[in-house]
Amino acid sequence: MHIRKLTFSSVFLALCLFLPFLTLQTVSLGNMFSLMHIPVFLCGFICGWPYGLSVGFIAPLLRNILFGMPPFPKNIAMAFELAIYGLVVGFLYKRLPKTFPCLYISLLVAMLCGRLIWGLVMFLMIDGFTLSAFWAGAFANAIPGIICHILLVPPLVKAFNKNEKNS
């Protein structure tokens, strides 16, 4: 089982590196759709919180080293944000009943916690980071990505779980 989770985690990390190319490396589109977040959520749900945390933390840092995006210091804040996504979603999903509503609860709580951590790290790293900058970066400008995550992630997890039961 450990090898299987490591293998899936590697695939999710690879997806984190390459899905953002769908936004053509454009910062505004990348911020809007947050495609790197999707594999982290999936990793937390499917492999568990330790794997989700690890993939979430590594992905933005590795992507910055390889492709220069996300830029510094945003990559540091994203590393903490995505690590919290993987940790919280995996932790809650393991402890809550395996129902579709609980899947959404796990996702929404993780999204909120991750965005709060992102804001805290940005505040600590960037002089003059304001509450309005936090609101814009974490919520207002991210609405398309939030909707995308809510629409895509739970059905993908459910489909994966269904496939696992059938195999």
Side-chain angles (χ1 to χ4, degrees):
M1 188 57 106
H2 181 67
I3 298 293
R4 185 180 178 129
K5 288 181 179 182
L6 279 175
T7 303
F8 276 120
S9 296
S10 299
V11 171
F12 291 129
L13 180 59
L15 287 170
C16 285
L17 297 177
F18 294 105
L19 276 178
F21 282 115
L22 296 176
T23 62
L24 307 174
Q25 291 283 84
T26 306
V27 174
S28 61
L29 286 176
N31 291 342
M32 191 183 307
F33 291 106
S34 305
L35 295 178
M36 191 187 311
H37 300 191
I38 296 169
V40 174
F41 287 126
L42 293 173
C43 187
F45 275 120
I46 293 166
C47 301
W49 71 264
Y51 298 91
L53 181 141
S54 301
V55 168
F57 192 78
I58 293 167
L61 303 176
L62 184 57
R63 193 157 201 295
N64 175 269
I65 291 167
L66 295 174
F67 307 117
M69 297 294 278
F72 179 84
K74 187 175 181 183
N75 65 327
I76 305 297
M78 278 186 68
F80 285 97
E81 174 189 17
L82 271 61
I84 293 300
Y85 285 165
L87 168 76
V88 172
V89 83
F91 181 83
L92 289 177
Y93 188 63
K94 183 176 181 178
R95 281 154 182 76
L96 294 174
K98 302 294 183 267
T99 63
F100 211 54
C102 286
L103 203 149
Y104 276 100
I105 289 168
S106 300
L107 177 64
L108 293 172
V109 170
M111 290 170 76
L112 182 60
C113 291
R115 290 176 193 283
L116 290 173
I117 292 299
W118 173 83
L120 176 63
V121 174
M122 291 293 282
F123 176 77
L124 294 173
M125 292 184 66
I126 298 176
D127 190 38
F129 187 76
T130 63
L131 187 57
S132 62
F134 166 71
W135 181 256
F139 298 103
N141 299 339
I143 288 173
I146 292 168
I147 292 169
C148 180
H149 301 154
I150 291 169
L151 292 176
L152 287 178
V153 173
L156 287 172
V157 172
K158 188 171 181 178
F160 180 85
N161 288 341
K162 183 178 180 180
N163 187 45
E164 283 292 298
K165 290 178 185 174
N166 293 334
S167 57

